[in-house]
Amino acid sequence: MSTRIDRISEEVMKALAEAMRSVKDPRVQEAMVSVVHCDVTNDLRYAKCYISVLGSEQQTKDVMKGLKSAAGWLRREVGHKVQLRYAPELVFELDQSITHGAHISEVLHELKSEGKLGEEDAE
């Protein structure tokens, strides 16, 4: 049963990513937005979509507002692409994992350039 839900979640994620390219809202169009993951509930009524935005904090807030206002249209588009009896209601959640990973990478690079990383290995 869960493999079916996983497949549907994957299809919803692909359909949403494709539909987001066609959103006319400038808040969404101007930013680098990607769909990281989607979790569809077992009853297929809701899809929690994790969104990553590359940009400033204000840009991120604007994108989330833009997605919320375009949710109905996006739901219809996803419903057309994913053949289900009911199109799941899309719930957008901000995913900071990519930004967090980039920050960690930056910190590690700084430590390495300062010579503070790798000293334990030398002893």
Side-chain angles (χ1 to χ4, degrees):
M1 176 73 179
S2 67
T3 54
R4 178 175 179 259
I5 298 295
D6 292 343
R7 267 198 329 265
I8 291 171
S9 295
E10 191 74 26
E11 288 300 315
V12 167
M13 186 178 91
K14 287 178 188 172
L16 178 62
E18 192 177 314
M20 280 174 54
R21 288 191 219 120
S22 306
V23 172
K24 300 268 191 285
D25 194 321
R27 295 175 289 191
V28 178
Q29 264 186 342
E30 293 168 5
M32 176 79 172
V33 184
S34 58
V35 183
V36 179
H37 184 72
C38 281
D39 280 329
V40 177
T41 57
N42 288 337
D43 62 358
L44 305 176
R45 295 288 181 174
Y46 296 93
K48 192 174 226 180
C49 304
Y50 296 93
I51 307 296
S52 176
V53 181
L54 205 62
S56 67
E57 208 169 303
Q58 184 58 47
Q59 213 174 10
T60 302
K61 287 177 185 174
D62 289 345
V63 165
M64 295 310 282
K65 285 178 188 171
L67 286 175
K68 199 170 186 176
S69 69
W73 183 83
L74 286 167
R75 180 181 184 184
R76 197 184 79 222
E77 291 298 305
V78 167
H80 286 305
K81 289 181 178 67
V82 182
Q83 299 292 312
L84 295 172
R85 184 173 290 154
Y86 302 105
E89 187 175 319
L90 304 174
V91 179
F92 298 108
E93 189 81 27
L94 187 61
D95 186 346
Q96 299 281 7
S97 62
I98 294 175
T99 312
H100 188 67
H103 174 69
I104 289 173
S105 179
E106 195 177 291
V107 169
L108 286 172
H109 184 72
E110 283 178 28
L111 288 172
K112 197 172 190 177
S113 66
E114 291 172 8
K116 293 179 181 174
L117 192 67
E119 288 178 9
E120 297 84 15
D121 299 333
E123 290 178 9

